[in-house]
Structures are given as C-alpha cells and as structure tokens.
Amino acid sequence: MIENLDTAVRLVGIGATLMIMAQMMASDIRLMIKGPLVGALIGAVGYLVVSSGARAAFPVINSLTDLVSISTPFFIWLFARALFERDPDRRVILIAALLLVAAWVLKHVVPGGANPGFWATNALSLALVGDLVRVALSKSGVDVVEPRRAARRWLALLAAILTGLILGIEVMEVTTGTQGQYPLASLFTGVAIVVLVLFAGLVMVRANSALLIQRNPSPASEREAAETLDQD
C-alpha cells in the first residue's frame, strides 16, 4: 500500500516538475534565475527516480542519473542566491562544482569509494544548505517590497529545510544500514520533493513579473532602496 502510494506521489512529482520546467523555459524570467531553476528541477526528477529504487538496465545510465540527482542542492543554492541577488563569487561556484563531480567520481569510479563519495557529497550539500539559510535570514538585497522579500525568504528557507531533512534521512539510512527498508521514509522524501516543486511553481506564477523578470529601476526607486538600507 505505502509502496504504491510512494510510486504515485513520485509520478505526480515528475509530471508537475516537467510542467513547471516547460513553463519556466517559455517565460521571460532572467537567465541568472532560469538556468539554476531548470537545473534544480532536472535534479529533482533525477532524485525522484534514484531515491525510489528504480534502476536503469545500464550502469552508465545509473551513474549519470545519480550525478543529476546529487546536483540538486547545488542548483537550489545557485537559484536561491540569484533570487536574493546575492550571486556567489564565480570561483566559489567553480570549486563547489568541482567538489561535487569529484565526490561523484569517488562514489562510482574509484573501487571501494562509495562511502567516502557519499559522505563528501552530503557534506558539500549541507554546507550549501547552511549558506542558503544564512543568506535567507540576512538582508534580501535591495528589494524594499515586503511581499517580494517574503516570497524569496520563505522559498529559500523551505528549500533549505526540506533538503536538510532529505539529507538527514539518507545519512540515517546509511549509518544504520536500513536503505530501502522503511517505505515511509521513501514516501516522505517523495512528498518533500513534490511540496518543494509545487511551492516553487506557485511562487513563480504569482511573483513572475515582480520578482523574477529583470527590470531597470528608476532613479527614484534606487534612492528609496538606498535610504531604506541606510535606515536598517
């Protein structure tokens, strides 16, 4: 019963993710947000497949799907930082990407390297989640409109919380040797991904023009934003 519900949730999640991704690709959202968002959505689909226990017939496809899956926190981090207009240094992005690929190689290529690769991947993901929370709780760029600040903050915090919980479940299963033995844990991860994707889609739809599309602010609005930051 739980296994069937888990499969249904994951299929709904994959369908919703693909629909939102198609909508984002056709929209005029600025590229610095659209790129990481599409990457995160593709990673979410990969995670829904990998964490369900489904496996392709060919090991190469399995490995590539896992790389897509473990890249999800990285793209969520980039998306959230772009949403807050706090893009990280390009060197930091490059280092994080290289560490992610190195951990994946350690997990799938180096003989006997599955555990070091797993721990390296999760350590990096948790570091990115921690940075996401830090940015979400700090000043949100120069946006002085409270609804937009709230949308950015809550989307980033929800992404961080759910990602942290999913990583925590993975660590617990590995340390206790109970991978795949708790259907409720698998169902929770599927539901968490679906909730995150649907909430992100809701924010995209309701805040598209105000939050995501690049606009050239007027001199008056720039002065207002600067004065507000000075008062803070």
Side-chain angles (χ1 to χ4, degrees), residues 111-193:
N115 285 335
F118 169 82
W119 289 112
T121 300
N122 281 270
L124 175 61
S125 298
L126 288 175
L128 296 178
V129 168
D131 182 69
L132 195 158
V133 172
R134 178 188 65 81
V135 173
L137 296 179
S138 63
K139 293 181 179 179
S140 307
V142 296
D143 196 344
V144 296
V145 181
E146 178 56 32
R148 293 204 300 251
R149 282 205 305 262
R152 298 179 188 207
R153 185 181 306 114
W154 284 111
L155 178 57
L157 289 177
L158 179 64
I161 291 171
L162 292 181
T163 302
L165 289 174
I166 291 171
L167 292 174
I169 290 176
E170 290 183 350
V171 170
M172 180 191 69
E173 289 182 337
V174 168
T175 55
T176 59
T178 57
Q179 297 97 315
Q181 298 182 22
Y182 293 101
L184 281 177
S186 178
L187 178 61
F188 173 82
T189 59
V191 170
I193 291 293

Side-chain angles (χ1 to χ4, degrees), residues 27-34 81-87 142 148 152 207-218 221-222:
S27 70
D28 53 355
I29 294 175
R30 48 196 169 106
L31 185 60
M32 291 300 295
I33 286 182
K34 181 185 292 187
R81 292 293 296 261
L83 202 61
F84 281 105
E85 300 176 359
R86 299 276 296 276
D87 297 327
V142 296
R148 293 204 300 251
R152 298 179 188 207
N208 191 346
S209 61
L211 181 62
L212 304 174
I213 299 175
Q214 183 68 52
R215 296 183 183 275
N216 295 322
S218 65
S221 63
E222 288 184 337

